[in-house]
DNA sequence: CCTCCACAGGAACCGGTGGGAA
DNA sequence: TTCCCACCGGTTCCTGTGGAGG
């Protein structure tokens, strides 16, 4: 039933790496100048979601010969310990069990990086910094005495690395900053047009439908998901009207995808916020959210977590850019934060 | 000037898990 | 085997916050 329009599903998948990137020549040049056999700069790459930070970095790093590459997704490895395990696993190419002392892992990593140049990529570093501070970066920066280790940190545009880590860490890391500009509507149009050409049968997309998507979002990931949802649900041809009709569904599928690596409670919490946002015009505070979350848990017969824990989960939803929060540390409203949704669309578990 | 709002977020602690030494 | 110790997700406890209203 679906797939009628799709000849090759790959270019519509979230993990697909295009052979070329729209509007990223400067970034590519900068990366290839900085990452190489005779360069040993640490780098901090920053920019909005879906602008190619991770892919461009890995493309460059994978070009190198005779270099150890360690990629750590800090959304999953959000403590020093988990990240160190990940690094060591990359170096030894065999699984590293838990149970070791942190300093054991550190020692083993130091032993293995002494002789060979090693590039450590820490993707979505904001999750690790938020959860367990800068102890990992401090260790890595201290390892700089071993000049063969380069650290590349990648984060969304909201992070201020220098403010988030201690002075001693930042000053010995001295990362070279690379900022990726947000994509414009035209860029997004080019990107989804390219994906449509690669994956859809000829004459199955009206141009106006792509224009509509590009006018609604500057986030290519959402745009591509939108196109994918449209292609999976359209009859013979993707029209502008069809794209409009499935807007909510597309956003929900994008959000599901974002929340997929997280726990059931993150999803419940987000759903609780959406319920509140739909039913109230006033601003939402943490207390309302927690109550709504508890009720939702009860109706689903799930045991709710403590509000302290949920406070941390909220922070993670904020890092995912799913919600915006404004913090008040006292004042008329008390000590709280006001929460808003970043995407309109209502959430439904599929 | 005092009090209260209403939760942020640090600290200490708990039980389960898994490696290492005796 | 037994004992010890570290990590981790989670909980409980607690202190701090700054302006509006009394």
């Amino acid at each position: 039933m679906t797939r009628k329009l799709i000849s090759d599903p790959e270019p519509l998948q979230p993990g697909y790496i295009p052979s070329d990137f729209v509007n990223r020549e400067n970034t590519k040049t900068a990366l290839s100048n900085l990452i190489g056999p005779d360069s040993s700069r640490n780098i901090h790459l920053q920019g909005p979601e879906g602008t190619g930070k991770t892919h461009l970095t890995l493309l460059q790093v994978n070009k190198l010969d005779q270099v150890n590459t360690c990629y750590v997704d800090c959304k999953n490895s959000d403590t020093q310990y988990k990240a160190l395990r990940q690094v060591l696993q990359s170096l030894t190419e065999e699984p590293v069990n838990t149970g070791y002392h942190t300093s054991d892992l550190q020692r083993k990593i130091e032993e293995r990086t002494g002789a060979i140049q090693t590039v450590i990529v820490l993707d979505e570093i904001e999750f690790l910094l938020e959860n367990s501070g800068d102890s990992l970066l401090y260790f890595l920066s201290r390892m700089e005495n071993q000049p063969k280790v380069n650290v590349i940190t990648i984060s969304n545009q909201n992070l201020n690395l220098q403010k988030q880590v201690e002075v001693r860490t930042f000053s010995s890391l001295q990362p070279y900053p690379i900022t990726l500009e947000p994509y414009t509507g035209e860029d997004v149009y080019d990107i989804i047009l390219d994906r449509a050409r690669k994956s859809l049968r000829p004459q199955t997309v009206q141009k106006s439908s792509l224009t509509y998507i590009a006018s609604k979002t500057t986030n290519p990931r959402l745009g591509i998901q939108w196109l994918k949802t449209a292609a999976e649900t359209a009859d013979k041809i993707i029209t502008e009207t069809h794209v409009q009709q499935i807007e909510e569904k597309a956003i929900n599928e994008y959000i599901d995808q974002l929340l997929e690596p997280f726990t059931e409670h993150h999803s419940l919490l987000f759903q609780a916020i959406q319920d509140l946002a739909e039913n109230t015009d006033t601003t939402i505070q943490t207390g309302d959210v927690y109550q709504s979350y508890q009720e939702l848990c009860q109706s689903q017969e799930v045991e709710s977590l403590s509000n302290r824990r949920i406070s941390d989960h909220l922070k993670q939803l904020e890092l995912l850019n799913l919600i915006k929060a404004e913090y008040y540390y006292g004042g008329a409203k008390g000590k709280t934060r006001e929460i808003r949704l970043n995407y309109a669309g209502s959430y439904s578990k599929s």
Side-chain angles (χ1 to χ4, degrees):
Chain A
M1 45 159 237
T2 66
R3 299 290 143 91
K4 265 192 278 183
L5 309 192
I6 303 175
S7 52
D8 177 11
E10 262 317 296
L12 295 179
Q13 296 305 317
Y16 176 79
I17 303 179
S19 53
D20 205 8
F21 283 80
V22 172
N23 233 339
R24 287 295 173 241
E25 287 316 309
N26 292 345
T27 312
K28 280 165 95 174
T29 314
L31 282 172
S32 64
N33 288 339
L34 288 163
I35 310 173
D38 26 58
S39 158
S40 68
R41 274 312 290 257
N42 297 320
I43 300 173
H44 178 57
L45 223 79
Q46 196 160 11
E49 54 223 325
T51 49
K53 304 181 290 294
T54 305
H55 289 340
L56 288 169
T57 302
L58 290 180
L59 277 178
Q60 181 58 36
V61 169
N62 290 336
K63 279 185 196 164
L64 305 174
D65 288 334
Q66 311 281 316
V67 169
N68 284 326
T69 304
C70 309
Y71 174 80
V72 181
D73 177 2
C74 300
K75 203 161 48 185
N76 304 320
S77 304
D78 62 352
T79 64
Q80 170 175 215
Y81 189 80
K82 286 192 234 173
L84 289 172
R85 270 182 69 197
Q86 196 63 48
V87 169
L88 189 58
Q89 272 180 39
S90 302
L91 292 174
T92 60
E93 295 182 336
E94 50 194 53
V96 178
N97 290 325
T98 61
Y100 294 106
H101 191 181
T102 300
S103 58
D104 286 342
L105 296 180
Q106 292 178 336
R107 190 176 36 76
K108 285 172 194 256
I109 288 171
E110 279 175 330
E111 281 167 9
R112 287 178 177 272
T113 52
I116 310 170
Q117 198 192 352
T118 305
V119 178
I120 299 176
V121 180
L122 302 172
D123 201 358
E124 310 202 66
I125 184 95
E126 62 269 24
F127 285 90
L128 189 147
L129 290 174
E130 179 58 40
N131 190 46
S132 69
D134 78 340
S135 47
L136 173 73
L137 278 182
Y138 177 62
F139 164 70
L140 292 176
S141 71
R142 203 173 47 79
M143 274 209 337
E144 283 312 292
N145 302 332
Q146 296 182 281
K148 307 218 168 194
V149 176
N150 291 338
V151 180
I152 303 177
T153 51
I154 302 177
S155 79
N156 69 19
Q157 75 209 103
N158 301 322
L159 178 78
N160 183 332
L161 187 65
Q162 187 155 14
K163 276 193 187 152
Q164 284 274 316
V165 302
E166 291 194 30
V167 177
R168 57 177 188 186
T169 305
F170 194 82
S171 66
S172 59
L173 215 52
Q174 292 289 342
Y176 183 91
I178 298 181
T179 305
L180 280 80
E181 296 304 317
Y183 275 133
T184 63
E186 286 100 80
D187 292 335
V188 171
Y189 178 83
D190 290 346
I191 291 167
I192 56 179
L193 175 64
D194 176 58
R195 300 294 173 100
R197 281 191 177 137
K198 283 180 178 148
S199 65
L200 303 184
R201 296 190 196 290
Q203 264 119 50
T204 50
V205 191
Q206 283 181 359
K207 261 196 171 170
S208 59
S209 59
L210 300 186
T211 313
Y212 181 79
I213 294 177
S215 75
K216 287 292 212 172
T217 182
T218 53
N219 176 351
R221 276 188 207 150
L222 175 56
I224 292 163
Q225 175 62 51
W226 201 338
L227 177 64
K228 178 170 181 246
T229 307
E232 286 170 350
T233 53
D235 228 4
K236 291 199 196 78
I237 184 163
I238 301 173
T239 63
E240 185 176 349
T241 319
H242 180 67
V243 160
Q244 288 169 1
Q245 280 165 357
I246 55 126
E247 172 164 1
E248 195 174 304
K249 182 173 161 65
I251 291 174
N252 287 335
E253 285 177 4
Y254 171 72
I255 290 172
D256 282 347
Q257 192 185 300
L258 273 186
L259 285 174
E260 198 271 326
F262 292 87
T263 68
E264 176 187 23
H265 291 280
H266 289 85
S267 295
L268 287 167
L269 177 60
F270 186 68
Q271 200 185 333
I273 297 169
Q274 287 201 311
D275 291 349
L276 277 177
E278 242 171 65
N279 299 323
T280 47
D281 292 333
T282 53
T283 56
I284 306 170
Q285 286 179 239
T286 312
D288 310 331
V289 170
Y290 186 62
Q291 200 187 336
S292 169
Y293 157 80
Q294 279 183 307
E295 287 164 9
L296 191 59
C297 284
Q298 207 161 28
S299 74
Q300 312 231 338
E301 299 185 0
V302 177
E303 197 137 349
S304 58
L305 300 179
S306 67
N307 58 358
R308 179 67 188 81
R309 193 89 194 93
I310 285 304
S311 178
D312 288 342
H313 281 38
L314 266 177
K315 184 74 196 181
Q316 292 177 313
L317 294 185
E318 193 188 343
L319 291 181
L320 282 174
N321 251 325
L322 284 173
I323 60 173
K324 283 247 183 295
E326 191 171 351
Y327 289 70
Y328 294 88
Y329 293 90
K333 300 185 171 70
K335 193 176 186 176
T336 185
R337 56 190 141 175
E338 266 178 23
I339 292 158
R340 280 179 296 117
L341 280 179
N342 244 357
Y343 296 95
S346 111
Y347 187 64
S348 61
K349 293 165 283 88
S350 40

